[in-house]
């Protein structure tokens, strides 16, 4: 019997509003502990919440980007439970009437595409952070994070594999970043993903018992945790055991999930409508206003780049992974660069530099028009591709223009036939063995000669001329 | 004549201070002396802010001396209910839980009073967290009724009512969740108004039941109530439930003209539950209206019989969440012997909340619990809408609904405190107003043979406080007798 995995995802996204969801405190939680706090986010007696409109706007934008229906009438609710990081001992969230529901996200996986249903997206507040590292058995609570706006996005149980889960998270993050509503930094907790996983015999409609995997710090971690959990559940089932409904943590070092909390101890949250906040009424005009402000979304942009610039699906995919990256690309092309060459240089060379420096494209010192200028130097034969890579590296660190780097360092390509002829003759004269091999028909040795000539010209030889002259001088 | 200042109305004090006829400091000193004289009998105050009062009064006097117009409550000595957050002093809610709590901010109403140049004499007693109808649930002390020191002042704003009634302040602020302003005003013979839900900001009012709570004044005259509403009403960006409506000059509504006013008498309010001595006074008051050209009509509020049940489900549900924050983690009482997190919660709450508060938290937790929510909370919300519909229908036939504020006059200490259900019935005529988010008011309408005050309750459509005040003011000016002063020395 084959098993099939049934997976649903719950993602908490911190929305990047300037102020918290129910008060005017800044959302910057890097500040010293308990400095971005006020009576409201501390849950002081008598304090009242007021819903941040920017949070609602951004949540509507996410809902629309995910194809959700935006509720004309929704409300906030109180979710009651006791924990020291919860200032009021209830969390203001949305229960039965979320702001957004019934959407879908198209993901690409294994060369095909798949539609993942979005059950709902609802607004809520984040909790404070407990620390137990104060010494002396003391615990501390930092309320800077208390009241930071969160959007919880819940999928249908449409995901069937760890790879699909990874693709879903990637696509979701991409959309959130395009909308500029969150920095989606998983390590800092601004994006938190939980997976509900169950197995069922293939072909069965009924769901199996699920486990929930929490507290994973990266997308690849989520993928590994799901893979592990599927294998674990399958082993349990095959050996005649039963799956226990529970929450499981992920131990990244050992690569295993482990039991955290059994369902029996789950809370009765005693949800009821938040009397301190009026209902959220979104009329057509409000929804339309947000819809008109939506940027071009990743899937649409990818398709446009393919059509407009003749890019491969792969290149268009890589370029549109981030909105900033795609913006950068289009600026390079707008500065006169050949679209395909620009794509190649951007996704390979510049990306490598960025990755090495762990830098974002927005912080890149190479301006889009400077990259276009560099590509032009290659086109006109001013420098060759190999030199161009060095120039790019220099541009990346110094921010100088390609022209001034080429001038200063004398990197102009040697297209002087005489100089190349001299170098070729010198190399041939110094390599009798290789010449003999070449004459015996070992074509491979030709590469050796090219390398030697380029070395002799400090890499500046015009590759075409070097080839031509070598062939001629080697007598074939 | 300074000796008499403690019996003057806020309006008289304000006018005299603004015109320079008396200094705010002299008025304040007169009140401080009055408090010294009677407080050991009444016990209305939980905190006395003599220095604060003097310095606030001095500021007002300086303003007058500089020729500036002092505010609409210039020099008026005010007492604040213990559950209004103030940076001055403590905000205890008359609970052991908050016995040492200092609020980092002022409630919006407190700030507005201060901006109107009022003078704060201190804070006054109440039932713990506003849960009660006699102020016997205060963890601090009992407060006595100035009309009979063996009797309760009502509650939960018992200290606010007793202080106004005994001349220990010119006016006070209370809060009303199910009658907590009107019922003690009735029992202590003063004027009390609960404005429409949303009329006054709740920011800084320690919440009991968020969908029902409202701040309002207790005064000796209707005009003073109007004057105070002018200051405390209006939209507050800090309270999302505060109404974005213009605030009229409420004193302009006090025209003395009630011709054509239609007064509805709900038959459900004149049953056997109403004591004869109350009924007699209420009916006499209605006659005053009839004699001066008002139309008296019979109306019906058929869902009234469910009001108490609905109220005690909704208010306890909301309270169970509102009071969850008192956990000993960030402020308030933390049990010194608690060893674990669980113990910290359980031991702190068990030791620092009184029995009535614990009872309501448990009730509220129960009615919200999975499996009971639909049968209790959800059904109560539905009936709450029906109760509101009753009023909508009644207000098609009348402009004001009149009836008793309380089924009985004040009672002796301990008379009902062993029987919570009987105590809950004290609010039988007042809670519907909160459930229907209407404005409601109690005006003194006489004394029983035993010399205890009786109050006439008036209710109006949402945001029609002006109609309410006009009717109440008319009655006050035409009732044909003087309420006199309580016997407290
Ligand atoms: Zn805050």
């Amino acid at each position: 019997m084959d098993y099939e995995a049934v997976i649903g995802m719950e993602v908490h996204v911190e929305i990047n509003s300037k102020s918290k969801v129910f008060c005017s405190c800044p959302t910057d939680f890097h500040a010293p502990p308990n400095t971005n706090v006020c009576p409201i986010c501390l849950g002081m007696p008598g304090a009242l919440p007021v819903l941040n409109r920017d949070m609602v706007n951004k949540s509507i934008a996410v809902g629309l980007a995910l194809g959700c229906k935006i509720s004309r009438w929704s409300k906030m609710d109180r979710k009651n439970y006791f924990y020291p990081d919860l200032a009021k001992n209830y969390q203001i969230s949305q229960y039965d009437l979320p702001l957004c529901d019934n959407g879908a996200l198209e993901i690409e996986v294994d060369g095909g595409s798949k539609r993942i249903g979005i059950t709902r997206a609802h607004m809520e507040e984040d909790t404070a952070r407990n620390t137990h590292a104060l010494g002396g058995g003391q615990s501390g609570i930092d309320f800077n994070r208390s009241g930071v706006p969160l959007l919880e996005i819940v999928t249908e149980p449409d995901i069937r594999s760890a790879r699909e889960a990874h693709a879903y998270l990637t696509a979701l993050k991409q959309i959130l970043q395009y909308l500029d509503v969150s920095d989606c930094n998983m390590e800092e907790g601004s994006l938190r993903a939980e997976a509900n996983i169950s197995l069922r015999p293939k072909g069965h409609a009924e769901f199996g018992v699920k486990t929930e995997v929490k507290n994973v710090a990266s997308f690849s971690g989520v993928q590994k945790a799901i893979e592990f959990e599927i294998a674990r559940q399958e082993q349990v089932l095959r050996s005649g055991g039963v799956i226990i409904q529970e929450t499981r943590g992920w131990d990244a070092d050992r690569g295993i999930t482990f039991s955290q909390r059994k369902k029996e101890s789950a809370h009765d949250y005693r949800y009821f409508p938040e009397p301190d906040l009026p209902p959220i009424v979104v009329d057509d005009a409000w929804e339309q206003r947000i819809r008109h402000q939506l940027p071009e979304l990743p899937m649409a942009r990818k398709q446009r780049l393919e059509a407009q610039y003749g890019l491969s699906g792969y290149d268009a995919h890589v370029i549109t992974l981030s909105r900033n990256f795609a913006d950068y690309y289009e600026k390079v092309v707008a500065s006169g660069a050949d679209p395909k060459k620009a794509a190649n240089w951007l996704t390979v060379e510049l990306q490598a530099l960025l990755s090495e420096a762990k830098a974002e494209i927005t912080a890149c010192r190479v301006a889009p028009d400077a990259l276009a200028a560099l590509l032009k130097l290659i086109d006109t034969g001013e420098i060759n591709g190999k030199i161009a890579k060095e120039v790019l590296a220099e541009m990346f660190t110094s921010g100088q223009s390609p022209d001034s780097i080429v001038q200063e360092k004398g990197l102009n390509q040697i297209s002087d036939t005489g100089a190349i002829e001299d170098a070729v003759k010198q190399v041939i004269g110094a390599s009798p063995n290789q010449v003999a091999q070449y004459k015996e028909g070992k074509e491979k040795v030709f590469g050796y000669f090219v390398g030697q000539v380029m070395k002799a010209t400090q890499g500046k030889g015009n590759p075409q001329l070097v080839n031509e002259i070598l062939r001629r001088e080697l007598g074939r | 004549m300074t000796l008499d200042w403690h019996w003057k109305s806020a309006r008289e004090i304000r006018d005299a201070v603004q015109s320079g006829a008396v200094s705010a400091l002299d008025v304040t000193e007169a009140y401080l002396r009055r408090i010294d004289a009677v407080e050991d009998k009444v016990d209305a105050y939980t905190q006395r802010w003599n220095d604060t009062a003097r310095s606030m009064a001095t500021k007002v006097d300086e303003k007058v001396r500089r020729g500036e117009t002092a505010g609409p409550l210039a020099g008026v000595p005010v007492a604040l209910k213990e559950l209004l957050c103030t940076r001055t002093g403590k905000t205890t809610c008359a609970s052991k839980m908050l016995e040492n709590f200092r609020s980092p901010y002022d409630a919006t109403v407190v700030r507005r009073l201060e901006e109107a140049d009022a003078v704060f004499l201190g804070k006054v007693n109440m039932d713990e967290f506003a849960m009660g109808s006699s102020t016997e649930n205060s963890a601090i002390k009992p407060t006595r009724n100035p009309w009979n020191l063996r009797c309760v002042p009502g509650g939960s704003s018992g200290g606010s009512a007793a202080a106004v009634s005994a001349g220990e302040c010119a006016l006070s602020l209370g809060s009303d969740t199910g009658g907590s302003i009107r019922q003690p005003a009735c029992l202590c013979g003063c004027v009390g108004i609960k404005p429409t839900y949303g009329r006054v900001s709740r920011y800084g009012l320690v919440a009991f039941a968020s969908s029902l709570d409202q701040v309002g004044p207790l005064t000796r005259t209707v005009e003073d109530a109007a004057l105070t509403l002018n200051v405390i009403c209006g939209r507050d960006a800090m309270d999302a439930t505060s109404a974005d409506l213009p605030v009229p000059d409420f004193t302009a509504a006090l025209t003395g003209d009630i011709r054509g006013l239609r007064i509805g008498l709900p038959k459900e309010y004149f049953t056997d539950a109403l004591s004869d001595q109350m009924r007699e006074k209420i009916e006499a008051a209605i006659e005053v209206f009839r004699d001066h050209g008002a139309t008296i009509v019979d109306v019906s509020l058929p869902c009234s019989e469910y009001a108490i049940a609905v109220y005690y489900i909704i208010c306890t549900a909301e309270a169970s969440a509102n009071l969850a924050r008192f956990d000993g983690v960030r402020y308030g009482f933390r049990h010194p012997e608690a060893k674990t997190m669980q113990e910290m919660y359980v031991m702190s709450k068990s030791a620092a909340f009184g029995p009535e508060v614990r009872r309501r938290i448990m009730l509220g937790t129960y009615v919200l619990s999975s499996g009971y929510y639909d049968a209790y909370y959800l059904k109560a919300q539905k009936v709450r809408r029906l109760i509101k519909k009753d009023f909508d229908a009644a207000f098609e036939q009348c402009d004001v609904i009149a009836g008793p504020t309380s089924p009985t006059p004040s009672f002796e200490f301990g008379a009902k405190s062993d029987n919570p259900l009987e105590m809950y019935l004290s609010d039988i005529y007042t809670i519907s107003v909160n459930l229907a988010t209407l404005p409601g008011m109690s005006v003194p309408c006489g004394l029983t043979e035993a010399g205890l005050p009786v109050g006439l309750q008036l209710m109006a459509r949402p945001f029609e406080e002006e109609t309410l005040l006009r009717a109440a003011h008319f009655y006050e000016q035409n009732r044909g007798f003087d309420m006199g002063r309580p016997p407290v020395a």
Side-chain angles (χ1 to χ4, degrees):
Chain A
M1 180 171 56
D2 275 349
Y3 285 102
E4 174 183 56
V6 176
I7 303 163
M9 303 288 298
E10 287 173 26
V11 173
H12 285 85
V13 182
E14 261 178 22
I15 298 297
N16 60 5
S17 288
K18 279 204 178 62
S19 52
K20 293 185 181 179
V21 60
F22 300 122
C23 62
S24 53
C25 292
T27 46
D28 169 25
F29 46 80
H30 293 297
N34 296 312
T35 51
N36 288 335
V37 293
C38 73
I40 300 166
C41 54
L42 284 173
M44 300 299 278
L48 296 172
V50 176
L51 181 58
N52 177 343
R53 204 177 160 93
D54 184 48
M55 168 60 175
V56 183
N57 285 337
K58 285 177 167 160
S59 301
I60 293 173
V62 173
L64 291 174
L66 295 176
C68 291
K69 185 171 73 57
I70 307 300
S71 298
R72 285 289 162 270
W73 196 98
S74 68
K75 64 180 170 73
M76 305 303 297
D77 298 280
R78 291 186 183 177
K79 178 182 182 179
N80 297 285
Y81 65 95
F82 284 94
Y83 206 67
D85 67 8
L86 191 59
K88 302 179 293 295
N89 285 317
Y90 59 82
Q91 181 191 31
I92 305 179
S93 179
Q94 294 194 283
Y95 182 49
D96 52 341
L97 295 170
L99 182 65
C100 317
D101 65 7
N102 211 1
L105 178 58
E106 203 77 27
I107 62 165
E108 293 195 332
V109 64
D110 298 336
S113 77
K114 178 169 177 175
R115 192 183 147 89
I116 307 297
I118 304 291
T119 313
R120 57 186 280 163
H122 73 253
M123 303 181 288
E124 61 184 30
E125 57 179 333
D126 207 348
T127 60
R129 285 292 175 274
N130 290 351
T131 50
H132 307 290
L134 297 185
Q138 298 271 326
S139 292
I141 312 173
D142 177 5
F143 284 87
N144 285 352
R145 207 151 191 158
S146 169
V148 164
L150 287 182
L151 188 69
E152 181 176 339
I153 302 164
V154 181
T155 74
E156 292 290 296
D158 287 347
I159 297 167
R160 291 289 171 270
S161 70
R163 276 211 308 285
E164 284 183 16
H166 189 274
Y168 167 74
L169 290 174
T170 307
L172 180 65
K173 177 178 173 179
Q174 194 185 6
I175 282 185
L176 296 169
Q177 288 185 328
Y178 266 64
L179 296 172
D180 192 21
V181 296
S182 175
D183 62 10
C184 296
N185 188 329
M186 242 183 150
E187 271 149 31
E188 288 192 344
S190 57
L191 190 151
R192 287 162 242 163
E194 295 158 29
N196 291 302
I197 306 153
S198 64
L199 295 192
R200 64 180 173 194
K202 222 171 189 154
H204 279 219
E206 221 171 290
F207 295 144
V209 176
K210 68 182 178 184
T211 60
E212 187 177 349
V213 178
K214 275 186 166 177
N215 303 325
V216 191
S218 68
F219 285 3
S220 60
V222 172
Q223 185 171 347
K224 283 182 203 148
I226 294 174
E227 273 162 11
F228 177 88
E229 191 56 21
I230 292 173
R232 186 191 70 85
Q233 289 190 15
E234 184 166 347
Q235 198 177 13
V236 170
L237 292 172
R238 287 204 189 282
S239 59
V242 286
I243 304 300
I244 301 157
Q245 184 165 352
E246 63 185 350
T247 299
R248 297 179 71 86
W250 169 242
D251 183 333
D253 294 333
R254 295 199 289 161
I256 58 164
T257 66
F258 58 93
S259 178
Q260 273 185 328
R261 197 182 73 197
K262 301 270 186 274
K263 190 67 186 174
E264 293 89 85
S265 60
H267 290 100
D268 174 2
Y269 289 119
R270 290 175 279 116
Y271 279 101
F272 75 102
E274 168 56 274
D276 287 331
L277 291 167
I280 303 147
V281 181
V282 181
D283 59 13
D284 289 344
W286 188 353
E287 183 180 319
Q288 283 310 317
R289 203 162 56 246
I290 305 292
R291 197 184 287 281
H292 288 310
Q293 290 165 2
L294 288 182
E296 186 182 21
L297 292 170
M299 194 63 88
R301 192 165 196 179
K302 173 178 173 284
Q303 285 161 2
R304 180 173 62 77
L305 292 194
E306 288 176 36
Q308 190 173 341
Y309 303 119
L311 296 185
S312 69
Y314 177 79
D315 277 350
H317 169 73
V318 173
I319 287 171
T320 54
L321 273 180
S322 115
R323 180 180 170 181
N324 290 329
F325 207 73
D327 286 348
Y328 186 96
Y329 169 75
E330 295 213 73
K331 281 183 197 153
V332 175
V333 175
S335 304
D338 173 74
K340 285 184 188 169
K341 286 181 181 157
N344 197 36
W345 276 81
L346 197 53
T347 58
V348 181
E349 305 304 337
L350 191 60
Q351 183 55 55
L353 292 167
L354 288 167
S355 304
E356 197 186 352
K358 291 195 173 69
E360 292 293 327
I361 188 79
T362 42
C364 181
R365 300 189 69 180
V366 180
D369 58 348
L371 182 60
L374 178 69
L375 299 186
K376 192 160 202 170
L377 291 180
I378 305 172
D379 271 356
T380 55
E382 194 84 6
I383 55 175
N384 63 36
K386 188 163 175 291
I387 294 288
K389 286 177 196 174
E390 288 171 33
V391 174
L392 183 63
E394 181 63 28
M395 289 162 74
F396 189 82
T397 44
S398 71
Q400 268 182 287
S401 76
D403 297 282
S404 62
I405 294 169
V406 168
Q407 289 300 320
E408 242 171 61
K409 303 207 164 174
L411 297 173
N412 305 47
Q413 193 160 262
I414 301 171
S415 301
D416 169 357
T417 317
I420 294 176
E421 271 172 359
D422 288 350
V424 166
K425 282 176 185 155
Q426 210 180 333
V427 168
I428 290 176
S431 318
N433 289 343
Q434 285 81 359
V435 172
Q437 286 171 2
Y438 182 78
K439 298 214 182 221
E440 281 163 24
K442 284 198 175 166
E443 180 61 28
K444 267 194 202 163
V445 190
F446 189 72
Y448 161 81
F449 290 110
V450 174
Q452 291 299 307
V453 174
M454 291 306 270
K455 199 174 171 187
T457 58
Q458 283 110 46
K460 291 187 286 183
N462 179 325
Q464 241 174 319
L465 274 179
V466 172
N467 273 359
E468 248 175 60
I469 295 167
L470 261 176
R471 295 270 182 213
R472 194 181 70 214
E473 292 299 317
L474 283 168
R476 270 215 201 171
Chain B
M1 291 300 286
T2 49
L3 275 180
D4 280 326
W5 281 108
H6 62 262
W7 288 122
K8 300 264 194 237
S9 71
R11 159 77 195 282
E12 291 171 300
I13 293 168
R14 190 273 313 267
D15 288 349
V17 168
Q18 276 186 342
S19 70
V22 67
S23 74
L25 190 57
D26 282 349
V27 174
T28 300
E29 295 293 354
Y31 272 92
L32 296 181
R33 282 193 300 275
R34 173 66 180 170
I35 299 170
D36 287 340
V38 301
E39 180 61 6
D40 64 334
K41 299 188 183 69
V42 180
D43 263 334
Y45 281 86
T46 44
Q47 303 174 49
R48 289 188 60 186
W49 296 349
N50 295 1
D51 294 342
T52 300
R54 289 187 178 106
S55 86
M56 289 176 89
T58 305
K59 270 187 201 152
V60 177
D61 287 335
E62 282 165 6
K63 224 174 183 177
V64 174
R65 213 170 299 131
R66 285 197 302 267
E68 293 169 32
T69 311
L73 290 175
V76 174
V78 173
L80 301 169
K81 191 174 179 179
E82 269 288 354
L83 50 39
L84 292 168
C85 287
T86 51
R87 275 179 296 180
T88 307
K90 296 172 185 173
T91 300
T92 70
C93 298
S95 178
K96 181 178 164 66
M97 178 59 81
L98 294 179
E99 63 184 343
N100 291 310
F101 178 70
R102 290 175 183 276
S103 173
Y105 70 101
D106 281 330
T108 298
V109 286
V110 171
R111 187 171 49 74
R112 286 183 177 172
L113 285 179
E114 190 173 352
E115 285 165 6
D117 287 333
V119 169
F120 297 149
L121 297 176
K123 281 180 146 171
V124 283
N125 206 11
M126 56 185 277
D127 285 298
E128 182 179 6
F129 285 104
M131 297 177 183
S133 306
S134 67
T135 312
E136 289 168 289
N137 294 335
S138 167
I140 301 171
K141 61 182 179 182
T143 291
R144 285 173 284 275
N145 191 320
W147 293 86
N148 182 336
L149 298 174
R150 290 196 316 276
C151 290
V152 301
S156 65
S157 307
S160 305
V164 168
S165 167
E168 293 187 272
C169 62
L171 66 87
S172 63
L173 286 191
S175 67
D176 190 317
T177 306
S180 280
I181 289 173
R182 290 159 290 157
Q183 186 258 12
C186 168
L187 268 49
C188 288
C190 50
V191 173
I193 179 165
K194 181 209 89 81
T196 311
Y197 184 79
R199 195 48 126 166
V200 181
S201 168
R202 293 185 293 116
Y203 191 75
L205 164 71
V206 179
F208 160 17
S210 311
S211 75
L212 301 161
D213 294 344
Q214 192 65 184
V215 181
L218 293 95
T219 57
R220 288 192 287 265
T221 69
V222 174
E223 186 185 31
D224 284 358
L227 211 60
T228 315
L229 288 186
N230 280 353
V231 170
I232 64 171
C233 289
R235 168 84 181 150
D236 176 14
M238 302 300 278
D239 177 0
T241 63
S242 72
D244 195 4
L245 289 173
V247 178
D249 175 2
F250 291 106
T251 61
L254 313 179
T255 58
D257 183 2
I258 55 140
R259 279 171 301 172
L261 189 74
R262 296 172 303 165
I263 296 181
L265 305 180
K267 64 174 189 222
E268 293 80 4
Y269 284 25
F270 294 89
T271 64
D272 292 346
L274 181 63
S275 67
D276 288 343
Q277 43 182 352
M278 302 296 278
R279 177 195 300 267
E280 192 186 304
K281 300 292 169 192
I282 303 298
E283 284 173 353
I286 306 294
E287 286 314 304
V288 176
F289 284 99
R290 197 196 304 272
D291 289 349
H292 288 78
T295 311
I296 312 298
V297 294
D298 288 327
V299 297
S300 177
L301 300 169
C303 291
S304 293
E305 60 175 307
Y306 306 115
I308 292 225
V310 167
Y311 174 80
Y312 278 97
I313 289 169
I314 291 173
C315 81
T316 57
E318 293 181 7
S320 72
N322 283 332
L323 272 65
R325 68 186 64 190
F326 304 110
D327 56 8
V329 172
R330 285 142 300 137
Y331 50 78
F333 179 80
R334 184 192 292 181
H335 202 289
E337 283 154 36
K339 300 251 179 340
T340 64
M341 192 175 84
Q342 183 81 4
E343 279 182 13
M344 175 179 67
Y345 287 137
V346 175
M347 293 170 77
S348 302
K349 284 172 181 279
S350 300
F353 284 141
E356 183 61 26
V357 174
R358 293 204 303 271
R359 173 160 39 239
R360 295 200 192 186
I361 291 172
M362 287 188 282
L363 275 173
T365 304
Y366 177 78
V367 299
L368 290 173
S369 297
S370 151
Y372 299 98
Y373 181 90
D374 289 359
Y376 293 106
Y377 184 79
L378 200 62
K379 186 173 265 179
Q381 289 291 16
K382 286 177 184 161
V383 181
R384 181 177 183 175
R385 283 194 286 278
L386 295 179
I387 289 171
K388 187 157 176 49
K389 275 190 177 163
D390 277 0
F391 278 98
D392 291 345
F395 280 123
E396 285 178 8
Q397 295 169 262
C398 63
D399 307 304
V400 168
I401 290 173
T405 303
S406 160
T408 65
S410 181
F411 42 89
E412 294 195 7
F413 288 94
K416 299 184 182 181
S417 46
D418 291 339
N419 187 341
L421 283 180
E422 204 188 327
M423 188 70 94
Y424 292 173
L425 289 174
S426 301
D427 298 328
I428 188 164
Y429 301 124
T430 44
I431 53 182
S432 293
V433 164
N434 301 77
L435 291 170
T437 70
L438 308 173
M441 187 167 186
S442 183
V443 204
C445 66
L447 296 172
T448 62
E449 276 169 31
L452 290 169
V454 179
L456 170 72
Q457 185 178 207
L458 301 170
M459 314 164 194
R461 299 180 193 101
F463 300 101
E464 290 193 7
E465 283 86 358
E466 288 165 285
T467 312
L468 209 55
L469 289 161
R470 181 159 59 98
H473 178 252
F474 161 82
Y475 172 71
E476 176 192 57
Q477 302 300 312
N478 293 277
R479 62 191 166 196
F481 59 88
D482 187 8
M483 279 294 286
R485 285 168 192 161
V488 67

